[in-house]
Amino acid sequence: MRIKALVIRIIRQFIRDKRTLAMMFIAPLFILTLVNLVFSSNDYEPKIGVISDQKVVDQLKSSDQAFTVYQNKSKAHQDLADEKLDAVIEVTFPSTTITLEGSNPTANKASILTIEKALKSIQTQDTNKIKGNSEIIYLHGSADMETFDYIGPFLIGFFIFFFVFLISGVSFLRERTSGTLERLLATPMRRWEMVVGYVLGFGIFTILQSAIIVSFAIYVLDIKMAGSIWLVTLITLMLAITALSLGTLLSAFAKNELQMIQFIPLIVVPQVFFSGLFSIETMADWLQPLSMIMPLTYGGKAIRDVMIQGDGLGMVYGNVLVLLVFSLLFMLLNVLALKKHRKL
Amino acid sequence: MEPVIKVTNVSKDYQSHQVLKNIDLTVNNNEIYGLLGPSGAGKTTLVKMIAGIETPTNGSISVLHSSMPSLNIMSQIGFMAQSDALYGELSGRENLEFFSAIYGLKGQKQKERIHQVSELVNLSKFLQKPVNQYSGGMKRRLSLAAALLHEPKILILDEPTVGIDPVLRQSIWDELYKLSKSGTTILVTTHVMDEAEKCGQLGMLRDGKLIASGTPQELKNVTSSASIEDAFLYYGGVQHEN
């Protein structure tokens, strides 16, 4: 009853605040479009597995350190599927087969370039043996996949996280600065009812937001979509709920809107670096575990796995569960944080 | 005379700063009790503790024979905060709908109560307007209406008449008398001396101490003062001499 009252109030307030509505729904679309238009690829060092006889292997290895030798063909393909490798090259004279992991267009391009260069250096010695008839296979994706197809899924997750975090945090903060929180604490409303009411009230808008942004990316920006749109919407929604519960929690530690915005470089921006948009393997070892505590790590990976690799719920439910645990944890902490304002 | 609010030896510290020192006071059923004191005297802290929002550092508070804070008792208290705790984006009616739903009012009963309290504070004509277009006085009145929605047994009003014109102020006081007669106990804070005379019982608060209490007439007689202001000066002055 009290939760319902809170939910209805939040919906009414939200609908009156047209600009905030626009920020939640239109700003992410705008930025996604911009990134789509301007993004260009950068240098990338590929990891390539080689399956072949010893002679070619030695030559390949000496030409570039990107190559790793595999004796076992299925092991190499397993590593490729696990994203430990970007490509596998099989040299069985006279033909060559290149299998690309395919999710990351930058990695694809870099791998092909590296292999072509290496093969050329061999060809000068054994010209007859390998002649231009190499075949390229994509494990995921295809040759026409663009950089945006790879980073798009992360960006969808990130923008939803960012805007929901900010809007929910500032709203909850305003409840405190305007004195209405104190007013509510003078009623028999329980602290958990307040937290749940907020999550539900905003949750309704985040469902809409997730659906709109995901559909826009797929149907208007034509981002690659291998899996189920419903699953992507579900994951983005879970990510939004996590952002919502984190935003309302952290607003307890901000005195005003400006201090809420100060959480962006502290909490939101670091998640971009750890979310998988940039390669975590290349970071300092002590830094890597940090990615484990970032909600965006799980959300971003799950969205990408579904959109590019076409994974089903069975493959990504682990990540979705982690987001659920994060949300519940943040909500629980928020119930405790409200104790600062009323013991009961 | 049945005591419904009992404050026993209550102190409140914020970090090292002591805001209230050994306060004892009793408010009886149907009474209008006024807490008079300058800003910073600790009035708001005291009424917040009675309303169950804050907890005392030392001492105890009981309301309607239950020790505070208690969510159960809080549903029988109407609280009007010093700041107008209203949602500016929402209309007056939507604000009242929200607060009444929090107290479990719904359907026909909710409509009736919203109609009654808005008549009472003279806002019926403005209920459709968003609150951020209200004047200061209108917001005060809407806050008061929100505190009355659930027909509380105890009404706690923190500076209720700030920014309200004298005519309306008089009508609000008339209403408070009516509520008091019909069985509501009212605790009201004010820093306006002449308003204090309207209360049945008066407590004078200064620097976190209750320096005097009694009916306005008693306080004036004991100090042989012509006005409450003189009486306050008398008690305040005694403090200085010590």
Side-chain angles (χ1 to χ4, degrees), chain A residues 2 5 9 12-13 16 175 179-180 182-183 185 187-189 341 344, chain B residues 48 53 55 71 74-75 79 85 87 89-90 94 97-98 101-103:
Chain A
R2 286 192 285 258
R9 194 208 84 208
R12 281 173 165 173
Q13 278 180 299
R16 300 286 150 76
E175 185 99 58
T180 47
E182 189 184 279
R183 180 69 185 77
L185 291 175
T187 73
M189 178 171 256
H341 303 285
L344 208 61
Chain B
K48 270 196 209 165
I53 304 169
T55 42
L71 288 179
M74 284 162 88
S75 62
F79 181 69
Y87 299 96
E89 304 93 335
L90 302 186
E94 286 167 338
E97 278 170 2
F98 171 64
I102 295 279
Y103 285 104

PDB file of all heavy atoms in Angstrom, chain A residues 2 5 9 12-13 16 175 179-180 182-183 185 187-189 341 344, chain B residues 48 53 55 71 74-75 79 85 87 89-90 94 97-98 101-103:
ATOM      1  N   ARG A   2       1.768   1.315   1.014  1.00  0.00           N
ATOM      2  CA  ARG A   2       2.655   2.480   1.085  1.00  0.00           C
ATOM      3  C   ARG A   2       3.629   2.477  -0.075  1.00  0.00           C
ATOM      4  O   ARG A   2       3.950   3.525  -0.633  1.00  0.00           O
ATOM      5  CB  ARG A   2       3.401   2.480   2.420  1.00  0.00           C
ATOM      6  CG  ARG A   2       2.505   2.880   3.575  1.00  0.00           C
ATOM      7  CD  ARG A   2       3.326   3.153   4.810  1.00  0.00           C
ATOM      8  NE  ARG A   2       3.799   1.931   5.416  1.00  0.00           N
ATOM      9  CZ  ARG A   2       3.243   1.381   6.499  1.00  0.00           C
ATOM     10  NH1 ARG A   2       2.201   1.926   7.072  1.00  0.00           N
ATOM     11  NH2 ARG A   2       3.728   0.270   6.997  1.00  0.00           N
ATOM     12  N   ALA A   5       1.853   3.754  -3.107  1.00  0.00           N
ATOM     13  CA  ALA A   5       1.726   5.210  -3.069  1.00  0.00           C
ATOM     14  C   ALA A   5       3.008   5.875  -3.545  1.00  0.00           C
ATOM     15  O   ALA A   5       2.991   6.840  -4.317  1.00  0.00           O
ATOM     16  CB  ALA A   5       1.395   5.661  -1.646  1.00  0.00           C
ATOM     17  N   ARG A   9       3.599   8.148  -6.934  1.00  0.00           N
ATOM     18  CA  ARG A   9       4.138   9.500  -6.816  1.00  0.00           C
ATOM     19  C   ARG A   9       5.357   9.687  -7.717  1.00  0.00           C
ATOM     20  O   ARG A   9       5.482  10.704  -8.400  1.00  0.00           O
ATOM     21  CB  ARG A   9       4.536   9.764  -5.360  1.00  0.00           C
ATOM     22  CG  ARG A   9       4.794  11.222  -5.069  1.00  0.00           C
ATOM     23  CD  ARG A   9       5.782  11.372  -3.941  1.00  0.00           C
ATOM     24  NE  ARG A   9       7.133  11.273  -4.429  1.00  0.00           N
ATOM     25  CZ  ARG A   9       8.155  10.846  -3.696  1.00  0.00           C
ATOM     26  NH1 ARG A   9       7.976  10.459  -2.467  1.00  0.00           N
ATOM     27  NH2 ARG A   9       9.358  10.792  -4.209  1.00  0.00           N
ATOM     28  N   ARG A  12       4.364  10.035 -11.349  1.00  0.00           N
ATOM     29  CA  ARG A  12       3.786  11.356 -11.631  1.00  0.00           C
ATOM     30  C   ARG A  12       4.861  12.424 -11.705  1.00  0.00           C
ATOM     31  O   ARG A  12       4.872  13.258 -12.605  1.00  0.00           O
ATOM     32  CB  ARG A  12       2.788  11.720 -10.526  1.00  0.00           C
ATOM     33  CG  ARG A  12       1.456  11.028 -10.704  1.00  0.00           C
ATOM     34  CD  ARG A  12       0.588  11.276  -9.500  1.00  0.00           C
ATOM     35  NE  ARG A  12      -0.795  10.934  -9.780  1.00  0.00           N
ATOM     36  CZ  ARG A  12      -1.742  10.930  -8.854  1.00  0.00           C
ATOM     37  NH1 ARG A  12      -1.457  11.261  -7.607  1.00  0.00           N
ATOM     38  NH2 ARG A  12      -2.972  10.616  -9.162  1.00  0.00           N
ATOM     39  N   GLN A  13       5.791  12.397 -10.744  1.00  0.00           N
ATOM     40  CA  GLN A  13       6.865  13.401 -10.735  1.00  0.00           C
ATOM     41  C   GLN A  13       7.697  13.304 -11.996  1.00  0.00           C
ATOM     42  O   GLN A  13       8.042  14.304 -12.609  1.00  0.00           O
ATOM     43  CB  GLN A  13       7.789  13.155  -9.536  1.00  0.00           C
ATOM     44  CG  GLN A  13       7.279  13.726  -8.247  1.00  0.00           C
ATOM     45  CD  GLN A  13       8.260  13.435  -7.140  1.00  0.00           C
ATOM     46  OE1 GLN A  13       8.538  12.281  -6.843  1.00  0.00           O
ATOM     47  NE2 GLN A  13       8.796  14.468  -6.523  1.00  0.00           N
ATOM     48  N   ARG A  16       6.191  14.777 -15.120  1.00  0.00           N
ATOM     49  CA  ARG A  16       6.205  16.240 -15.138  1.00  0.00           C
ATOM     50  C   ARG A  16       7.565  16.788 -15.551  1.00  0.00           C
ATOM     51  O   ARG A  16       7.679  17.868 -16.079  1.00  0.00           O
ATOM     52  CB  ARG A  16       5.883  16.805 -13.742  1.00  0.00           C
ATOM     53  CG  ARG A  16       4.576  16.420 -13.187  1.00  0.00           C
ATOM     54  CD  ARG A  16       3.426  17.142 -13.864  1.00  0.00           C
ATOM     55  NE  ARG A  16       2.237  16.307 -13.848  1.00  0.00           N
ATOM     56  CZ  ARG A  16       1.480  16.116 -12.779  1.00  0.00           C
ATOM     57  NH1 ARG A  16       1.750  16.741 -11.672  1.00  0.00           N
ATOM     58  NH2 ARG A  16       0.444  15.318 -12.841  1.00  0.00           N
ATOM     59  N   GLU A 175      15.067  14.180  -2.325  1.00  0.00           N
ATOM     60  CA  GLU A 175      14.106  13.809  -1.290  1.00  0.00           C
ATOM     61  C   GLU A 175      14.642  14.237   0.083  1.00  0.00           C
ATOM     62  O   GLU A 175      13.902  14.640   0.958  1.00  0.00           O
ATOM     63  CB  GLU A 175      13.884  12.308  -1.332  1.00  0.00           C
ATOM     64  CG  GLU A 175      12.838  11.779  -0.394  1.00  0.00           C
ATOM     65  CD  GLU A 175      11.507  11.532  -1.094  1.00  0.00           C
ATOM     66  OE1 GLU A 175      11.460  10.763  -2.054  1.00  0.00           O
ATOM     67  OE2 GLU A 175      10.517  12.123  -0.655  1.00  0.00           O
ATOM     68  N   GLY A 179      13.600  18.083   2.364  1.00  0.00           N
ATOM     69  CA  GLY A 179      12.919  17.847   3.632  1.00  0.00           C
ATOM     70  C   GLY A 179      11.826  16.801   3.559  1.00  0.00           C
ATOM     71  O   GLY A 179      11.244  16.434   4.576  1.00  0.00           O
ATOM     72  N   THR A 180      11.543  16.308   2.342  1.00  0.00           N
ATOM     73  CA  THR A 180      10.461  15.324   2.248  1.00  0.00           C
ATOM     74  C   THR A 180      10.874  13.974   2.823  1.00  0.00           C
ATOM     75  O   THR A 180      10.024  13.211   3.262  1.00  0.00           O
ATOM     76  CB  THR A 180       9.997  15.155   0.789  1.00  0.00           C
ATOM     77  OG1 THR A 180      11.123  15.000  -0.047  1.00  0.00           O
ATOM     78  CG2 THR A 180       9.193  16.354   0.342  1.00  0.00           C
ATOM     79  N   GLU A 182      12.604  13.536   5.560  1.00  0.00           N
ATOM     80  CA  GLU A 182      12.303  13.665   6.977  1.00  0.00           C
ATOM     81  C   GLU A 182      10.800  13.555   7.221  1.00  0.00           C
ATOM     82  O   GLU A 182      10.342  12.902   8.151  1.00  0.00           O
ATOM     83  CB  GLU A 182      12.816  15.011   7.467  1.00  0.00           C
ATOM     84  CG  GLU A 182      12.748  15.175   8.952  1.00  0.00           C
ATOM     85  CD  GLU A 182      13.182  16.570   9.330  1.00  0.00           C
ATOM     86  OE1 GLU A 182      14.380  16.790   9.384  1.00  0.00           O
ATOM     87  OE2 GLU A 182      12.310  17.424   9.547  1.00  0.00           O
ATOM     88  N   ARG A 183      10.041  14.181   6.318  1.00  0.00           N
ATOM     89  CA  ARG A 183       8.589  14.138   6.411  1.00  0.00           C
ATOM     90  C   ARG A 183       8.090  12.696   6.298  1.00  0.00           C
ATOM     91  O   ARG A 183       7.189  12.274   7.022  1.00  0.00           O
ATOM     92  CB  ARG A 183       7.987  15.013   5.299  1.00  0.00           C
ATOM     93  CG  ARG A 183       6.493  15.083   5.253  1.00  0.00           C
ATOM     94  CD  ARG A 183       5.942  15.834   6.448  1.00  0.00           C
ATOM     95  NE  ARG A 183       4.484  15.806   6.468  1.00  0.00           N
ATOM     96  CZ  ARG A 183       3.759  14.766   6.837  1.00  0.00           C
ATOM     97  NH1 ARG A 183       4.365  13.666   7.230  1.00  0.00           N
ATOM     98  NH2 ARG A 183       2.447  14.819   6.831  1.00  0.00           N
ATOM     99  N   LEU A 185       9.848  10.102   7.028  1.00  0.00           N
ATOM    100  CA  LEU A 185      10.314   9.345   8.185  1.00  0.00           C
ATOM    101  C   LEU A 185       9.458   9.644   9.409  1.00  0.00           C
ATOM    102  O   LEU A 185       9.540   8.945  10.411  1.00  0.00           O
ATOM    103  CB  LEU A 185      11.787   9.664   8.465  1.00  0.00           C
ATOM    104  CG  LEU A 185      12.754   9.119   7.402  1.00  0.00           C
ATOM    105  CD1 LEU A 185      14.165   9.579   7.678  1.00  0.00           C
ATOM    106  CD2 LEU A 185      12.700   7.603   7.343  1.00  0.00           C
ATOM    107  N   THR A 187       6.306   9.425   9.130  1.00  0.00           N
ATOM    108  CA  THR A 187       5.159   8.540   8.914  1.00  0.00           C
ATOM    109  C   THR A 187       5.584   7.123   9.286  1.00  0.00           C
ATOM    110  O   THR A 187       6.770   6.860   9.476  1.00  0.00           O
ATOM    111  CB  THR A 187       4.721   8.535   7.432  1.00  0.00           C
ATOM    112  OG1 THR A 187       5.681   7.803   6.676  1.00  0.00           O
ATOM    113  CG2 THR A 187       4.589   9.942   6.883  1.00  0.00           C
ATOM    114  N   PRO A 188       4.617   6.218   9.403  1.00  0.00           N
ATOM    115  CA  PRO A 188       5.020   4.839   9.756  1.00  0.00           C
ATOM    116  C   PRO A 188       5.675   4.082   8.611  1.00  0.00           C
ATOM    117  O   PRO A 188       5.874   2.878   8.717  1.00  0.00           O
ATOM    118  CB  PRO A 188       3.695   4.183  10.174  1.00  0.00           C
ATOM    119  CG  PRO A 188       2.617   5.040   9.669  1.00  0.00           C
ATOM    120  CD  PRO A 188       3.155   6.395   9.434  1.00  0.00           C
ATOM    121  N   MET A 189       6.037   4.753   7.523  1.00  0.00           N
ATOM    122  CA  MET A 189       6.681   4.051   6.407  1.00  0.00           C
ATOM    123  C   MET A 189       8.010   3.466   6.855  1.00  0.00           C
ATOM    124  O   MET A 189       8.819   4.120   7.499  1.00  0.00           O
ATOM    125  CB  MET A 189       6.905   5.017   5.249  1.00  0.00           C
ATOM    126  CG  MET A 189       7.603   4.363   4.075  1.00  0.00           C
ATOM    127  SD  MET A 189       7.640   5.435   2.636  1.00  0.00           S
ATOM    128  CE  MET A 189       6.374   4.704   1.643  1.00  0.00           C
ATOM    129  N   HIS A 341      19.175   8.558   9.323  1.00  0.00           N
ATOM    130  CA  HIS A 341      18.114   9.553   9.433  1.00  0.00           C
ATOM    131  C   HIS A 341      17.010   9.145  10.397  1.00  0.00           C
ATOM    132  O   HIS A 341      16.316   9.977  10.946  1.00  0.00           O
ATOM    133  CB  HIS A 341      17.513   9.833   8.062  1.00  0.00           C
ATOM    134  CG  HIS A 341      18.540  10.295   7.083  1.00  0.00           C
ATOM    135  ND1 HIS A 341      19.074  11.557   7.113  1.00  0.00           N
ATOM    136  CD2 HIS A 341      19.178   9.642   6.085  1.00  0.00           C
ATOM    137  CE1 HIS A 341      19.976  11.661   6.159  1.00  0.00           C
ATOM    138  NE2 HIS A 341      20.056  10.516   5.527  1.00  0.00           N
ATOM    139  N   LEU A 344      14.706   3.712  13.563  1.00  0.00           N
ATOM    140  CA  LEU A 344      13.732   2.633  13.474  1.00  0.00           C
ATOM    141  C   LEU A 344      13.506   2.199  12.038  1.00  0.00           C
ATOM    142  O   LEU A 344      13.289   3.026  11.174  1.00  0.00           O
ATOM    143  CB  LEU A 344      12.416   3.130  14.086  1.00  0.00           C
ATOM    144  CG  LEU A 344      11.535   2.071  14.695  1.00  0.00           C
ATOM    145  CD1 LEU A 344      12.250   1.377  15.838  1.00  0.00           C
ATOM    146  CD2 LEU A 344      10.254   2.711  15.195  1.00  0.00           C
TER     147      LEU A 344
ATOM    148  N   LYS B  48      11.175  16.723  16.937  1.00  0.00           N
ATOM    149  CA  LYS B  48      11.534  15.580  16.075  1.00  0.00           C
ATOM    150  C   LYS B  48      11.687  14.307  16.906  1.00  0.00           C
ATOM    151  O   LYS B  48      11.339  13.222  16.455  1.00  0.00           O
ATOM    152  CB  LYS B  48      12.843  15.861  15.341  1.00  0.00           C
ATOM    153  CG  LYS B  48      12.667  16.542  14.001  1.00  0.00           C
ATOM    154  CD  LYS B  48      13.958  16.398  13.225  1.00  0.00           C
ATOM    155  CE  LYS B  48      14.187  17.523  12.270  1.00  0.00           C
ATOM    156  NZ  LYS B  48      15.595  17.527  11.805  1.00  0.00           N
ATOM    157  N   ILE B  53      11.379  10.738  14.888  1.00  0.00           N
ATOM    158  CA  ILE B  53      12.381  10.770  13.813  1.00  0.00           C
ATOM    159  C   ILE B  53      13.778  10.670  14.412  1.00  0.00           C
ATOM    160  O   ILE B  53      14.625   9.932  13.928  1.00  0.00           O
ATOM    161  CB  ILE B  53      12.252  12.066  12.984  1.00  0.00           C
ATOM    162  CG1 ILE B  53      10.838  12.196  12.430  1.00  0.00           C
ATOM    163  CG2 ILE B  53      13.259  12.066  11.841  1.00  0.00           C
ATOM    164  CD1 ILE B  53      10.545  13.549  11.829  1.00  0.00           C
ATOM    165  N   THR B  55      16.290  10.103  17.964  1.00  0.00           N
ATOM    166  CA  THR B  55      16.265   9.437  19.256  1.00  0.00           C
ATOM    167  C   THR B  55      17.122  10.224  20.239  1.00  0.00           C
ATOM    168  O   THR B  55      18.159  10.761  19.860  1.00  0.00           O
ATOM    169  CB  THR B  55      16.808   7.999  19.159  1.00  0.00           C
ATOM    170  OG1 THR B  55      17.952   8.023  18.310  1.00  0.00           O
ATOM    171  CG2 THR B  55      15.784   7.062  18.574  1.00  0.00           C
ATOM    172  N   LEU B  71       6.813   2.790  15.354  1.00  0.00           N
ATOM    173  CA  LEU B  71       6.105   3.008  14.078  1.00  0.00           C
ATOM    174  C   LEU B  71       4.603   2.997  14.286  1.00  0.00           C
ATOM    175  O   LEU B  71       3.847   3.698  13.623  1.00  0.00           O
ATOM    176  CB  LEU B  71       6.505   1.937  13.063  1.00  0.00           C
ATOM    177  CG  LEU B  71       7.918   2.049  12.484  1.00  0.00           C
ATOM    178  CD1 LEU B  71       8.190   0.918  11.517  1.00  0.00           C
ATOM    179  CD2 LEU B  71       8.116   3.385  11.783  1.00  0.00           C
ATOM    180  N   MET B  74       3.607   6.269  15.571  1.00  0.00           N
ATOM    181  CA  MET B  74       3.824   7.302  14.553  1.00  0.00           C
ATOM    182  C   MET B  74       2.646   7.418  13.590  1.00  0.00           C
ATOM    183  O   MET B  74       2.435   8.465  12.980  1.00  0.00           O
ATOM    184  CB  MET B  74       5.122   7.037  13.784  1.00  0.00           C
ATOM    185  CG  MET B  74       6.350   7.419  14.603  1.00  0.00           C
ATOM    186  SD  MET B  74       7.853   6.690  14.000  1.00  0.00           S
ATOM    187  CE  MET B  74       8.346   7.907  12.824  1.00  0.00           C
ATOM    188  N   SER B  75       1.866   6.358  13.447  1.00  0.00           N
ATOM    189  CA  SER B  75       0.696   6.448  12.570  1.00  0.00           C
ATOM    190  C   SER B  75      -0.427   7.246  13.239  1.00  0.00           C
ATOM    191  O   SER B  75      -1.425   7.560  12.607  1.00  0.00           O
ATOM    192  CB  SER B  75       0.215   5.055  12.184  1.00  0.00           C
ATOM    193  OG  SER B  75      -0.175   4.352  13.335  1.00  0.00           O
ATOM    194  N   PHE B  79       2.559  15.207  11.684  1.00  0.00           N
ATOM    195  CA  PHE B  79       3.751  16.029  11.841  1.00  0.00           C
ATOM    196  C   PHE B  79       3.847  17.035  10.697  1.00  0.00           C
ATOM    197  O   PHE B  79       3.750  16.685   9.533  1.00  0.00           O
ATOM    198  CB  PHE B  79       4.995  15.122  11.850  1.00  0.00           C
ATOM    199  CG  PHE B  79       6.302  15.868  12.036  1.00  0.00           C
ATOM    200  CD1 PHE B  79       6.603  16.468  13.254  1.00  0.00           C
ATOM    201  CD2 PHE B  79       7.214  15.969  10.998  1.00  0.00           C
ATOM    202  CE1 PHE B  79       7.805  17.151  13.426  1.00  0.00           C
ATOM    203  CE2 PHE B  79       8.412  16.647  11.175  1.00  0.00           C
ATOM    204  CZ  PHE B  79       8.697  17.242  12.387  1.00  0.00           C
ATOM    205  N   ALA B  85       7.675  20.221   3.329  1.00  0.00           N
ATOM    206  CA  ALA B  85       8.106  18.986   2.697  1.00  0.00           C
ATOM    207  C   ALA B  85       7.051  18.548   1.698  1.00  0.00           C
ATOM    208  O   ALA B  85       6.210  17.715   1.998  1.00  0.00           O
ATOM    209  CB  ALA B  85       8.335  17.924   3.763  1.00  0.00           C
ATOM    210  N   TYR B  87       6.104  17.926  -2.724  1.00  0.00           N
ATOM    211  CA  TYR B  87       6.693  17.618  -4.024  1.00  0.00           C
ATOM    212  C   TYR B  87       6.239  18.660  -5.033  1.00  0.00           C
ATOM    213  O   TYR B  87       5.077  18.694  -5.428  1.00  0.00           O
ATOM    214  CB  TYR B  87       6.304  16.206  -4.453  1.00  0.00           C
ATOM    215  CG  TYR B  87       6.806  15.188  -3.463  1.00  0.00           C
ATOM    216  CD1 TYR B  87       5.994  14.710  -2.445  1.00  0.00           C
ATOM    217  CD2 TYR B  87       8.129  14.758  -3.495  1.00  0.00           C
ATOM    218  CE1 TYR B  87       6.472  13.806  -1.507  1.00  0.00           C
ATOM    219  CE2 TYR B  87       8.619  13.862  -2.565  1.00  0.00           C
ATOM    220  CZ  TYR B  87       7.781  13.386  -1.582  1.00  0.00           C
ATOM    221  OH  TYR B  87       8.277  12.509  -0.651  1.00  0.00           O
ATOM    222  N   GLU B  89       6.683  19.222  -8.189  1.00  0.00           N
ATOM    223  CA  GLU B  89       6.199  18.860  -9.525  1.00  0.00           C
ATOM    224  C   GLU B  89       4.738  18.435  -9.481  1.00  0.00           C
ATOM    225  O   GLU B  89       4.047  18.474 -10.497  1.00  0.00           O
ATOM    226  CB  GLU B  89       7.003  17.695 -10.113  1.00  0.00           C
ATOM    227  CG  GLU B  89       8.501  17.907 -10.192  1.00  0.00           C
ATOM    228  CD  GLU B  89       9.200  17.359  -8.964  1.00  0.00           C
ATOM    229  OE1 GLU B  89       8.551  17.272  -7.892  1.00  0.00           O
ATOM    230  OE2 GLU B  89      10.395  17.036  -9.056  1.00  0.00           O
ATOM    231  N   LEU B  90       4.304  17.978  -8.314  1.00  0.00           N
ATOM    232  CA  LEU B  90       2.950  17.430  -8.214  1.00  0.00           C
ATOM    233  C   LEU B  90       1.958  18.516  -7.845  1.00  0.00           C
ATOM    234  O   LEU B  90       2.308  19.532  -7.248  1.00  0.00           O
ATOM    235  CB  LEU B  90       2.910  16.327  -7.147  1.00  0.00           C
ATOM    236  CG  LEU B  90       3.846  15.139  -7.339  1.00  0.00           C
ATOM    237  CD1 LEU B  90       3.571  14.098  -6.271  1.00  0.00           C
ATOM    238  CD2 LEU B  90       3.688  14.522  -8.711  1.00  0.00           C
ATOM    239  N   GLU B  94      -2.373  15.839  -5.689  1.00  0.00           N
ATOM    240  CA  GLU B  94      -1.500  14.656  -5.778  1.00  0.00           C
ATOM    241  C   GLU B  94      -0.626  14.516  -4.536  1.00  0.00           C
ATOM    242  O   GLU B  94      -0.357  13.406  -4.078  1.00  0.00           O
ATOM    243  CB  GLU B  94      -0.645  14.738  -7.042  1.00  0.00           C
ATOM    244  CG  GLU B  94      -1.442  14.458  -8.294  1.00  0.00           C
ATOM    245  CD  GLU B  94      -0.714  14.836  -9.580  1.00  0.00           C
ATOM    246  OE1 GLU B  94       0.216  15.677  -9.528  1.00  0.00           O
ATOM    247  OE2 GLU B  94      -1.096  14.309 -10.616  1.00  0.00           O
ATOM    248  N   GLU B  97      -2.896  13.121  -1.973  1.00  0.00           N
ATOM    249  CA  GLU B  97      -3.162  11.708  -2.270  1.00  0.00           C
ATOM    250  C   GLU B  97      -1.995  10.845  -1.816  1.00  0.00           C
ATOM    251  O   GLU B  97      -2.181   9.770  -1.236  1.00  0.00           O
ATOM    252  CB  GLU B  97      -3.395  11.512  -3.775  1.00  0.00           C
ATOM    253  CG  GLU B  97      -4.806  11.846  -4.214  1.00  0.00           C
ATOM    254  CD  GLU B  97      -4.957  11.885  -5.740  1.00  0.00           C
ATOM    255  OE1 GLU B  97      -3.973  11.618  -6.454  1.00  0.00           O
ATOM    256  OE2 GLU B  97      -6.066  12.194  -6.187  1.00  0.00           O
ATOM    257  N   PHE B  98      -0.793  11.346  -2.077  1.00  0.00           N
ATOM    258  CA  PHE B  98       0.395  10.575  -1.690  1.00  0.00           C
ATOM    259  C   PHE B  98       0.454  10.381  -0.170  1.00  0.00           C
ATOM    260  O   PHE B  98       0.566   9.267   0.325  1.00  0.00           O
ATOM    261  CB  PHE B  98       1.659  11.260  -2.190  1.00  0.00           C
ATOM    262  CG  PHE B  98       2.932  10.656  -1.670  1.00  0.00           C
ATOM    263  CD1 PHE B  98       3.271   9.355  -2.001  1.00  0.00           C
ATOM    264  CD2 PHE B  98       3.773  11.365  -0.832  1.00  0.00           C
ATOM    265  CE1 PHE B  98       4.427   8.763  -1.521  1.00  0.00           C
ATOM    266  CE2 PHE B  98       4.937  10.788  -0.341  1.00  0.00           C
ATOM    267  CZ  PHE B  98       5.256   9.489  -0.690  1.00  0.00           C
ATOM    268  N   ALA B 101      -2.266   8.134   1.217  1.00  0.00           N
ATOM    269  CA  ALA B 101      -2.040   6.713   0.902  1.00  0.00           C
ATOM    270  C   ALA B 101      -0.981   6.121   1.827  1.00  0.00           C
ATOM    271  O   ALA B 101      -1.065   4.956   2.220  1.00  0.00           O
ATOM    272  CB  ALA B 101      -1.629   6.543  -0.550  1.00  0.00           C
ATOM    273  N   ILE B 102       0.020   6.941   2.191  1.00  0.00           N
ATOM    274  CA  ILE B 102       1.051   6.467   3.123  1.00  0.00           C
ATOM    275  C   ILE B 102       0.416   6.052   4.450  1.00  0.00           C
ATOM    276  O   ILE B 102       0.828   5.098   5.090  1.00  0.00           O
ATOM    277  CB  ILE B 102       2.085   7.588   3.392  1.00  0.00           C
ATOM    278  CG1 ILE B 102       2.845   7.923   2.117  1.00  0.00           C
ATOM    279  CG2 ILE B 102       3.024   7.210   4.514  1.00  0.00           C
ATOM    280  CD1 ILE B 102       3.959   7.013   1.791  1.00  0.00           C
ATOM    281  N   TYR B 103      -0.642   6.795   4.843  1.00  0.00           N
ATOM    282  CA  TYR B 103      -1.315   6.468   6.105  1.00  0.00           C
ATOM    283  C   TYR B 103      -2.445   5.473   5.890  1.00  0.00           C
ATOM    284  O   TYR B 103      -3.273   5.257   6.772  1.00  0.00           O
ATOM    285  CB  TYR B 103      -1.849   7.738   6.767  1.00  0.00           C
ATOM    286  CG  TYR B 103      -0.763   8.557   7.408  1.00  0.00           C
ATOM    287  CD1 TYR B 103      -0.302   9.714   6.813  1.00  0.00           C
ATOM    288  CD2 TYR B 103      -0.180   8.144   8.603  1.00  0.00           C
ATOM    289  CE1 TYR B 103       0.714  10.463   7.384  1.00  0.00           C
ATOM    290  CE2 TYR B 103       0.829   8.878   9.187  1.00  0.00           C
ATOM    291  CZ  TYR B 103       1.270  10.042   8.579  1.00  0.00           C
ATOM    292  OH  TYR B 103       2.271  10.760   9.152  1.00  0.00           O
TER     293      TYR B 103
END
